[in-house]
Amino acid sequence: MVGRSSLPDGALFLGLDSSTQSVKATVLSNELIIVASETVNFDSELPHYKTEGGVYRDPTDDGRIYSPTIMWVEALELLLEKLKPKINFSKVVAVSGSGQQHGSVYWKKGSQAVLSSLDPGKSLVSQLKDAFSTMDSPIWMDSSTTKQCREVENAVGGALELSKLTGSRAYERFTGPQIRKIYQTAPHIYENTERISLVSSFMASILVGCYASIDETDGAGMNLMDINKRTWSKAVLEATAPDLEQKLGNLAPACAAAGRISSYFVERHQFDKNCFVIQWSGDNPNSLAGLTLNTPGDLAISLGTSDTVFGITAEAKPSLEGHVFPNPVEPDGYMVMLCYKNGSLTREDVRNQCAEKSWDIFNNYLEKTPPLNGGRLGFYYKDHEILPPLPVGFHRYIVENFSDASSDNLKECEVQEFDPESEVRAIVEGQMLSMRGHAERFGMPNPPKRIIATGGASSNESILKLIAQIFGCPVFTVERPG
Ligand code: XUL
């Protein structure tokens, strides 16, 4: 592997992030200083795909949410073109990345051969556009596989059994139930599939020019991997779809090298032929790695399209709520995580309706309203929520006798609306209270020693202050590219 002392002068590290709404690149120097960054936003920079927030919502199939696989390929090409004037690709000694978790790609039979013989004179899109058995990649926002979830749980002895086996009970967005739905509703697509990749292993596959393994950490987000053995679970594979193991390939540790960069990128973009591609993993596991979370009392909160809460633990104790994944950097340890679908897009909705589309006004409302909002509490689901699993809807309550020290006299009554200031506080407090409540139930540290916040909204100081008020501990954030 790449030892730091043996690195050439000016060595660079390229980190990519293939997320719901964009792909991003961050380039680090040998001293871990950010030297360049770039973004490609799907909606605004690739408008011909007509995505909204990077996704399509199927009006004919309730809860089906997917993205066009080839858009991610085109975005990668554009990202490299935008980055080219800023850095010398030949100085990059290693490249790796994060993918939105759970999303899947279906490579058509014969595509391994296409992938390994890409012509550097032609674009990736022109060569890969016919490489998939379906053009649609189901993504983590999908909630259309409830039937498949119950079938897989029942086949292995119930939800808790599945959780003990794989680290999570069956979740609609997890890849196993998604694969089962394709097998059941479009068997010709399933049959014509040579390899199934996650978003993370898909992007790594393009870079190495052959099918990259699924890494053990992102692999735990599929409801298919034995969480203790870190191998595919035969029982769950059988409950999901026939001949699945060969379509999944081998698993690899998250920190392993996937291979050297393919000659396509050497010739087309002048990468060094010795440049390593390190296994990609999921965005949340990589956030845990990037935040160097190594103390069990620390909690991380990521505020993005989804909001997530995660920490580390020595033992895997999966339950009916939340997820256990292998720790991507500590081979024997685990990470625990909660995921909320109603993150930044739902906050933005309330900002647009109540705060004149301005974060300044939104923050001003947060600052001038008191903690716990004088008893005005709300729960806002713009999309079908994961935790707790609830349908779309905004729910507002006024809790009476709120100042009374005992909880006996508390009485809540549902109301139709709040004033704009209270609405703004209610959404952020509702999100944070839910995180605190579920984190406690899941056995995460209470109170945490400290919270490290990351993701887009972690640059908002008013939100960070509110997190500190709700969790009762210091909140830190990290350096982000400007
Ligand atoms: C995690 C999850 C989301 C996606 C978003 O389980 O579904 O956080 O990883 O990119």
Side-chain angles (χ1 to χ4, degrees):
M1 285 285 313
V2 197
R4 242 179 123 175
S5 56
S6 61
L7 287 172
D9 273 357
L12 297 174
F13 299 85
L14 171 59
L16 301 169
D17 179 17
S18 181
S19 67
T20 317
Q21 306 192 51
S22 62
V23 287
K24 301 186 201 82
T26 307
V27 184
L28 293 184
S29 71
N30 206 354
E31 293 77 35
L32 305 184
I33 310 281
I34 298 174
V35 295
S37 57
E38 256 313 335
T39 302
V40 171
N41 179 280
F42 301 138
D43 294 0
S44 59
E45 292 178 75
L46 300 172
H48 45 287
Y49 291 100
K50 299 189 167 70
T51 54
E52 274 178 38
V55 308
Y56 298 137
R57 291 162 196 268
D58 185 345
T60 65
D61 184 353
D62 192 24
R64 178 170 178 247
I65 301 190
Y66 59 102
S67 292
T69 312
I70 198 72
M71 176 180 75
W72 297 332
V73 179
E74 190 166 344
L76 175 66
E77 297 202 282
L78 181 56
L79 186 70
L80 292 178
E81 288 305 336
K82 286 177 77 174
L83 205 54
K84 215 172 221 170
K86 295 190 170 179
I87 64 155
N88 183 348
F89 285 139
S90 70
K91 295 282 186 192
V92 175
V93 291
V95 42
S96 189
S98 296
Q100 51 169 307
Q101 295 195 260
H102 320 295
S104 44
V105 169
Y106 298 80
W107 295 94
K108 189 165 93 180
K109 284 187 175 159
S111 292
Q112 163 68 56
V114 178
L115 195 53
S116 59
S117 58
L118 293 172
D119 177 349
K122 298 182 182 155
S123 70
L124 286 173
V125 169
S126 66
Q127 299 179 82
L128 292 178
K129 66 180 186 339
D130 298 320
F132 311 110
S133 50
T134 165
M135 300 309 285
D136 306 338
S137 280
I139 66 146
W140 68 275
M141 295 173 87
D142 186 286
S143 58
S144 70
T145 63
T146 307
K147 168 178 172 284
Q148 288 76 17
C149 286
R150 297 297 84 81
E151 288 169 354
V152 174
E153 286 178 348
N154 291 340
V156 299
L160 191 57
E161 278 313 305
L162 184 68
S163 184
K164 285 184 186 158
L165 262 174
T166 68
S168 303
R169 66 173 300 169
Y171 282 92
E172 280 77 357
R173 69 192 192 286
F174 274 44
T175 327
Q178 293 290 341
I179 294 172
R180 182 166 176 77
K181 183 179 169 199
I182 292 184
Y183 159 67
Q184 288 180 334
T185 59
H188 55 287
I189 292 178
Y190 186 74
E191 164 56 30
N192 195 22
T193 298
E194 177 171 88
R195 176 60 65 103
I196 301 172
S197 294
L198 293 180
V199 175
S200 51
S201 61
F202 170 62
M203 299 299 265
S205 301
I206 296 176
L207 293 172
V208 287
C210 63
Y211 295 142
S213 301
I214 290 175
D215 82 280
E216 292 164 2
T217 299
D218 213 11
M222 301 175 81
N223 279 137
L224 293 174
M225 188 189 83
D226 184 316
I227 187 71
N228 295 304
K229 298 195 192 123
R230 302 181 186 195
T231 54
W232 300 121
S233 158
K234 303 260 180 244
V236 195
L237 290 185
E238 266 170 40
T240 301
D243 305 321
L244 186 49
E245 191 159 5
Q246 69 199 53
K247 294 187 200 283
L248 295 172
N250 294 331
L251 287 153
C255 51
R260 307 272 183 180
I261 199 154
S262 87
S263 56
Y264 179 87
F265 294 92
V266 174
E267 288 171 41
R268 192 170 171 94
H269 298 289
Q270 294 73 53
F271 276 87
D272 185 280
K273 66 177 184 343
N274 291 319
C275 172
F276 277 105
V277 178
I278 309 300
Q279 285 287 157
W280 285 45
S281 188
D283 49 1
N284 294 295
N286 278 351
S287 291
L288 179 128
L291 295 173
T292 59
L293 216 64
N294 54 17
T295 314
D298 288 348
L299 211 60
I301 295 186
S302 169
L303 301 168
T305 312
S306 62
D307 286 345
T308 56
V309 186
F310 49 88
I312 61 166
T313 164
E315 284 169 63
K317 286 192 201 141
S319 66
L320 286 177
E321 240 174 44
H323 316 298
V324 178
F325 301 147
N327 183 321
V329 277
E330 288 290 337
D332 299 327
Y334 295 89
M335 67 177 280
V336 284
M337 193 185 86
L338 304 171
C339 178
Y340 297 86
K341 202 192 281 184
N342 288 277
S344 63
L345 296 176
T346 312
R347 283 187 289 274
E348 264 165 47
D349 243 34
V350 169
R351 180 203 65 172
N352 293 348
Q353 281 164 34
C354 300
E356 299 168 39
K357 303 192 175 169
S358 148
W359 285 120
D360 286 343
I361 298 179
F362 186 95
N363 292 345
N364 179 266
Y365 289 173
L366 280 183
E367 297 289 341
K368 69 188 218 199
T369 41
L372 296 182
N373 218 4
R376 288 176 191 76
L377 302 182
F379 304 96
Y380 298 79
Y381 308 124
K382 172 182 158 63
D383 269 307
H384 186 290
E385 182 48 66
I386 297 164
L387 191 59
L390 286 176
V392 172
F394 284 10
H395 311 279
R396 302 170 187 85
Y397 301 90
I398 297 185
V399 184
E400 285 168 22
N401 303 325
F402 198 58
S403 51
D404 191 327
S406 102
S407 56
D408 300 345
N409 294 328
L410 290 181
K411 221 170 69 197
E412 83 275 356
C413 98
E414 186 156 11
V415 295
Q416 285 313 308
E417 56 180 27
F418 286 152
D419 58 277
E421 286 90 342
S422 304
E423 181 93 330
V424 163
R425 185 156 199 110
I427 181 173
V428 187
E429 274 193 347
Q431 291 177 327
M432 299 310 144
L433 282 169
S434 174
M435 283 183 193
R436 179 179 156 165
H438 285 109
E440 282 177 21
R441 276 200 0 211
F442 196 43
M444 288 180 174
N446 166 37
K449 233 172 73 194
R450 57 178 186 166
I451 286 175
I452 306 175
T454 182
S458 66
S459 60
N460 182 325
E461 283 188 21
S462 307
I463 292 185
L464 297 185
K465 199 159 126 192
L466 191 145
I467 298 176
Q469 287 166 346
I470 297 287
F471 280 84
C473 71
V475 177
F476 296 84
T477 188
V478 286
E479 187 198 355
R480 290 146 29 87

